Amino acid sequence: MKKPSTSRMIVAGSGDAADLRYASGFSPVDPVVFLDHPRRALLVVPMLEVGRARVEAARSRVATPVELEIAPDQRRSVAAWAVAAARACRVRRVRVGPYFPLSVARALERAQVRVELEPGALYPERARKNADEIARIAQVQAAAVAAVRAAVREIRRAHVNRAGELVLGKRVLTSEQLKRTVEGVLLERECQSREMIIACGRHAADPHHRGTGPLRAGETIVLDIFPQHQKSGYWGDITRTVVKGPARPELKRMYQAVLAAQTWARRAVRPRVRADRIHQGVQQRLADAGFVTETRDGLPVGFFHGTGHGVGLEIHEAPSLSTVPVRLEPGHVVTVEPGLYYPDLGGIRIEDTVAVTARGARVLCPCPYTFEVR
């Protein structure tokens, strides 16, 4: 007799619902329980969500705690929902992801439901996108490109005061002000960016510094825009680095090295190529260009992050272009984003999001590689 497939269980709220959206189509506000049963999935939601859930998760049975006959004093307990879902589907074993709540797992085990931890992705098939998913990512990427273009226009319009700060109108142009411009462009395109990076000078030398304060001429400004579509839930990701006015020779040399490495890496992305080999190639090219990666005064400098990451229903997902020896396949969508970071000079990063095709890779939404903005 064929052994039945193990059901997958998800407990998710608004901030961790990528697997849930992928498997059911539902995007929660409050925590819900989803039992992906081989015969028919069951989604347990609060009463306030049941109407929307039955539309968005039309292929699943949608039930409330009342319908599952959970005791009144347990109807707000997600652990009780999970136990009731397992009983309703007559499930004795579930597979869960690495961030599954421990309290829920313990409740299931007390109810004699075996909980098996999936150490990797609960839905590894998410890594390979179909044509519709790639189109949705491209839609968000187009919004991100529009936002970058708007930011560069603002920098171009600005003049430079005696302190070397950028001034737009009568106000000093700050990272915060430019972020508001970017947010407006994204909202017009039904996207939002809970976080973005517009970082200047020493802030740009810290890859994940969000950026604060005045933007200055002659210093690198990293524009890293990664929005999410408000309806589809898919993400986009792009980075450009600019300098207002002429750049110093050492910054030009850094930029050309990063651009050359990024161009090579984009062209190296194709089916069956190992992602770690692309990463190693980028490392070698930057080193050959004379840029050292090391630790100085307790801080890393040079190129010390991965070359790229997968993009989809999460901003960082599989596969990654780093030290992991995974082979790229058609349908993978990844960023290509080498960078160089030195506190005494600043930081430079150039990033595109590409889809792996049958023969190579396609940039989902091209954007000019502008460095000096006059």
Side-chain angles (χ1 to χ4, degrees):
M1 184 176 179
K2 186 178 179 180
K3 187 177 180 180
S5 301
T6 305
S7 298
R8 291 178 278 196
M9 181 174 280
I10 301 169
V11 174
S14 59
D16 55 356
D19 277 339
L20 179 66
R21 286 186 96 148
Y22 178 82
S24 73
F26 182 63
S27 176
V29 175
D30 296 316
V32 301
V33 172
F34 181 67
L35 183 61
D36 198 350
H37 191 269
R39 290 189 295 275
R40 191 184 183 195
L42 173 61
L43 177 64
V44 187
V45 301
M47 192 71 71
L48 288 172
E49 295 274 44
V50 68
R52 185 170 63 89
R54 285 177 176 158
V55 173
E56 293 184 6
R59 290 176 295 178
S60 304
R61 176 191 169 194
V62 176
T64 66
V66 173
E67 291 169 327
L68 292 180
E69 299 182 348
I70 297 174
D73 63 340
Q74 292 292 304
R75 287 177 185 166
R76 298 179 66 85
S77 168
V78 175
W81 298 7
V83 171
R87 287 174 176 164
C89 294
R90 299 181 181 178
V91 164
R92 306 300 298 174
R93 182 175 56 160
V94 295
R95 272 192 300 140
V96 302
Y99 301 107
F100 192 81
L102 179 60
S103 60
V104 179
R106 292 276 170 81
L108 287 166
E109 289 168 345
R110 287 194 297 270
Q112 305 301 308
V113 177
R114 180 177 175 181
V115 178
E116 297 177 353
L117 177 64
E118 178 60 60
L122 190 60
Y123 288 87
E125 59 268 35
R126 268 181 50 199
R128 293 188 66 168
K129 277 70 178 178
N130 60 33
D132 179 65
E133 290 178 291
I134 292 173
R136 292 183 182 205
I137 297 169
Q139 180 185 13
V140 187
Q141 193 69 6
V145 168
V148 167
R149 288 176 176 270
V152 172
R153 282 197 300 270
E154 295 284 83
I155 293 170
R156 182 171 284 115
R157 289 176 54 215
H159 68 272
V160 182
N161 66 16
R162 292 181 179 179
E165 301 165 329
L166 305 193
V167 178
L168 195 59
K170 296 182 179 181
R171 299 174 58 186
V172 171
L173 182 61
T174 64
S175 172
E176 292 83 355
Q177 183 178 342
L178 200 53
K179 288 175 185 176
R180 287 192 289 272
T181 296
V182 167
E183 288 168 353
V185 172
L186 295 175
L187 285 172
E188 288 175 355
R189 291 160 175 80
E190 298 185 283
C191 296
Q192 60 185 4
S193 182
R194 289 189 290 270
E195 295 179 337
M196 70 182 75
I197 295 171
I198 297 182
C200 180
R202 291 184 66 88
H203 291 169
D206 182 345
H208 277 182
H209 198 298
R210 301 303 184 222
T212 61
L215 303 177
R216 294 175 295 276
E219 300 185 10
T220 59
I221 304 172
V222 172
L223 308 168
D224 189 350
I225 314 299
F226 40 101
Q228 183 182 30
H229 197 274
Q230 293 173 320
K231 294 180 180 177
S232 75
Y234 284 87
W235 293 76
D237 201 356
I238 188 170
T239 304
R240 292 293 184 264
T241 303
V242 300
V243 169
K244 173 67 174 181
R248 290 171 287 166
E250 56 267 40
L251 291 180
K252 289 183 181 180
R253 194 168 71 87
M254 278 177 63
Y255 185 85
Q256 289 303 321
V258 173
L259 181 59
Q262 203 260 2
T263 300
W264 174 85
R266 278 192 287 109
R267 293 172 178 170
V269 171
R270 63 177 69 91
R272 304 306 299 163
V273 170
R274 274 179 36 179
D276 61 326
R277 298 283 172 80
I278 297 175
H279 179 59
Q280 291 163 8
V282 168
Q283 290 177 312
Q284 191 62 56
R285 279 160 176 77
L286 292 175
D288 290 346
F291 293 98
V292 176
T293 297
E294 60 185 4
T295 300
R296 297 178 187 171
D297 300 323
L299 294 174
V301 300
F303 176 48
F304 49 84
H305 58 68
T307 295
H309 55 84
V311 177
L313 285 169
E314 292 179 289
I315 185 57
H316 295 108
E317 60 180 50
S320 65
L321 303 183
S322 58
T323 57
V324 181
V326 62
R327 291 191 184 275
L328 298 175
E329 300 291 346
H332 284 164
V333 176
V334 296
T335 66
V336 183
E337 52 175 307
L340 287 170
Y341 312 91
Y342 298 97
D344 56 330
L345 293 173
I348 291 173
R349 184 166 63 256
I350 302 171
E351 174 186 30
D352 290 297
T353 296
V354 305
V356 182
T357 67
R359 296 184 178 180
R362 173 171 62 93
V363 176
L364 290 185
C365 190
C367 182
Y369 301 98
T370 302
F371 185 47
E372 294 175 302
V373 178
R374 308 289 182 129

